[in-house]
Amino acid sequence: MSKHSATNFVSRATPLTGQHAHEIQAFGSVVNMPLVLAKDIRLASATNLNQLLADTITLRDLYKKHHWQVSGPTFYQLHLLFDKHFNEQNELVDQIGERIMLLGGVSVAMSADVAEMTFIPRPPKGREEVPAQISRLLHAHEIILKEARAMARQAAQDGDDGTNDLLVSNVIRTNELQVWFVGEHIVDAPLVRADGPGEDDDSRDPK
């Protein structure tokens, strides 16, 4: 092989970094997919699921925050439980994101965009007591369950069986089960905040 040929092969194997281009699909749009679902139905489902995705990502990360920062006599049990729930929410994140793409939409993905969209109040950067941590988690679950039930009813009415099944079989059931496991840890717990979680936070209310 000549030196010139070898140079050409090396050039072809070199990563072409620094490339930039326009988006190929705008957020909030759907492309045509042969799913036998009308475009307006797919757009409505994708829009709803993106809101649910932003809130699920936020809840997932809230579980990881509490997994790291939990303290007290129940540290070991909650440290493990919070991480288990984090992993389960992470599975939901992937399922919801993939469903949006399957419908022809674009999934919200980056943390800055998620922070702008989520209805879940932002927690403080510092540590909180266990009852406050759990109250935040339960409030987040309540937000997600409220919107997931409404979205499931809409998907059923629209004939979007795949989205309805995802919401009922996966999202709602997972969140209900996690509410039970987490909520039992603050039965007869001391009241650490009388005004409830998130009252002083600058956050939006769920629709």
Side-chain angles (χ1 to χ4, degrees):
M1 180 184 299
S2 68
K3 183 177 180 180
H4 179 70
S5 298
T7 301
N8 286 341
F9 277 113
V10 171
S11 177
R12 289 170 58 189
T14 301
L16 302 177
T17 60
Q19 299 190 49
H20 301 279
H22 295 293
E23 294 177 341
I24 60 173
Q25 183 181 353
F27 183 78
S29 67
V30 290
V31 297
N32 291 328
M33 299 289 283
L35 299 175
V36 198
L37 279 174
K39 181 179 180 179
D40 60 335
I41 292 174
R42 292 186 292 106
L43 180 59
S45 289
T47 300
N48 285 339
L49 288 174
N50 259 317
Q51 181 60 59
L52 184 67
L53 179 57
D55 292 329
T56 301
I57 290 172
T58 303
L59 176 57
R60 178 200 66 184
D61 293 348
L62 190 59
Y63 267 115
K64 183 60 78 173
K65 169 181 166 64
H66 293 340
H67 164 77
W68 289 329
Q69 297 178 359
V70 68
S71 59
T74 57
F75 165 79
Y76 183 70
Q77 298 97 314
L78 288 177
H79 182 72
L80 297 181
L81 181 65
F82 289 164
D83 211 37
K84 178 178 182 292
H85 285 189
F86 166 85
N87 289 324
E88 291 169 354
Q89 289 293 330
N90 197 45
E91 290 181 12
L92 291 179
V93 165
D94 201 46
Q95 292 166 4
I96 297 167
E98 288 182 350
R99 179 67 190 175
I100 294 167
M101 301 303 297
L102 182 153
L103 290 167
V106 178
S107 303
V108 65
M110 300 305 294
S111 58
D113 300 318
V114 169
E116 290 179 355
M117 289 179 61
T118 186
F119 290 131
I120 296 173
R122 181 175 178 174
K125 290 182 181 179
R127 255 170 139 178
E128 293 181 292
E129 295 183 60
V130 167
Q133 289 177 327
I134 291 178
S135 292
R136 284 190 182 278
L137 291 168
L138 293 175
H139 183 54
H141 278 296
E142 189 175 13
I143 290 171
I144 287 175
L145 283 166
K146 182 177 180 180
E147 62 191 12
R149 294 187 204 284
M151 292 171 185
R153 288 192 293 269
Q154 181 179 345
Q157 292 170 0
D158 291 343
D160 186 356
D161 299 326
T163 296
N164 175 265
D165 181 63
L166 169 65
L167 292 168
V168 174
S169 300
N170 296 24
V171 175
I172 293 174
R173 290 182 181 177
T174 297
N175 279 275
E176 285 180 338
L177 191 61
Q178 290 187 353
V179 165
W180 179 34
F181 274 77
V182 170
E184 289 298 316
H185 284 270
I186 53 171
V187 173
D188 295 328
L191 185 64
V192 296
R193 277 185 71 184
D195 56 354
E199 291 288 329
D200 298 326
D201 294 309
D202 181 17
S203 60
R204 300 186 299 160
D205 292 326
K207 297 178 182 177

